[in-house]
Amino acid sequence: MTQDDRRTSIARVQRELTTVARRGTARIRRENQTLSEVDRSLLAHIQAEPGCRAVEIAAHFQLNRSTVSRQLATLQEHGLIAPRPAEVGRGVALELTAEGERVLAGVAATIQDALVRRFAGWSEQEIDEFARLLERFNAADERQGRG
């Protein structure tokens, strides 16, 4: 494979990833107007890392702390996240509220249903290979120290 062929292939990957992201965002907007892509990402991270703090979230997503703090404040105003009770230390430890869990579960179900339809013609082996390649792709930045 030449450098030009490699660049062409990488451009195809970029185009397809962009399509996936845009379609997913559009689908969620049609079916659940309450959350943006950023909101969903933050809620999913807090769900996966209960007790995390704004500074940790900012580092994870490589965002400015003040930007993340504003977004978290909005989620808290909507009753989707709350400070974790009895946590002491720097920054406020966060967790999802029952409403946050409910809303995020609804979004996850919407996405899961769409994926099930998309993979209808795929074999289990193909799905497994696709998942393995995506995991490898997503792990590359971490291995290179870029999070």
Side-chain angles (χ1 to χ4, degrees), residues 30-60:
R30 282 192 309 270
E31 299 180 25
N32 185 340
Q33 294 289 329
T34 60
L35 296 179
S36 71
E37 179 66 29
V38 172
D39 294 335
R40 284 189 306 283
S41 297
L42 293 172
L43 290 175
H45 183 77
I46 294 167
Q47 183 182 49
E49 301 287 334
C52 62
R53 291 166 166 72
V55 67
E56 296 160 350
I57 295 169
H60 175 77

Side-chain angles (χ1 to χ4, degrees), residues 3-143:
Q3 282 293 67
D4 284 342
D5 290 339
R6 186 175 178 85
R7 283 190 186 98
T8 300
S9 293
I10 290 171
R12 284 178 48 218
V13 169
Q14 179 183 6
R15 186 174 53 249
E16 295 304 318
L17 288 174
T18 299
T19 300
V20 167
R22 285 184 181 161
R23 284 182 181 164
T25 298
R27 182 177 300 106
I28 295 302
R29 282 188 187 141
R30 282 192 309 270
E31 299 180 25
N32 185 340
Q33 294 289 329
T34 60
L35 296 179
S36 71
E37 179 66 29
V38 172
D39 294 335
R40 284 189 306 283
S41 297
L42 293 172
L43 290 175
H45 183 77
I46 294 167
Q47 183 182 49
E49 301 287 334
C52 62
R53 291 166 166 72
V55 67
E56 296 160 350
I57 295 169
H60 175 77
F61 290 109
Q62 298 178 353
L63 296 170
N64 183 286
R65 284 186 288 180
S66 64
T67 301
V68 170
S69 292
R70 282 191 301 275
Q71 292 166 326
L72 292 173
T74 300
L75 292 175
Q76 190 169 354
E77 287 171 16
H78 287 95
L80 302 175
I81 63 171
R84 195 173 222 187
E87 287 282 336
V88 179
R90 257 182 90 123
V92 176
L94 301 167
E95 63 185 7
L96 295 185
T97 62
E99 178 66 3
E101 292 281 355
R102 186 193 68 73
V103 168
L104 192 57
V107 170
T110 298
I111 294 168
Q112 184 72 19
D113 290 345
L115 288 172
V116 166
R117 287 190 302 275
R118 280 284 171 123
F119 287 124
W122 292 44
S123 71
E124 294 303 315
Q125 183 179 359
E126 289 170 323
I127 296 169
D128 186 59
E129 178 67 6
F130 187 58
R132 188 188 64 72
L133 291 170
L134 285 172
E135 289 165 349
R136 179 179 170 195
F137 176 78
N138 284 326
D141 273 353
E142 291 174 17
R143 287 192 308 273

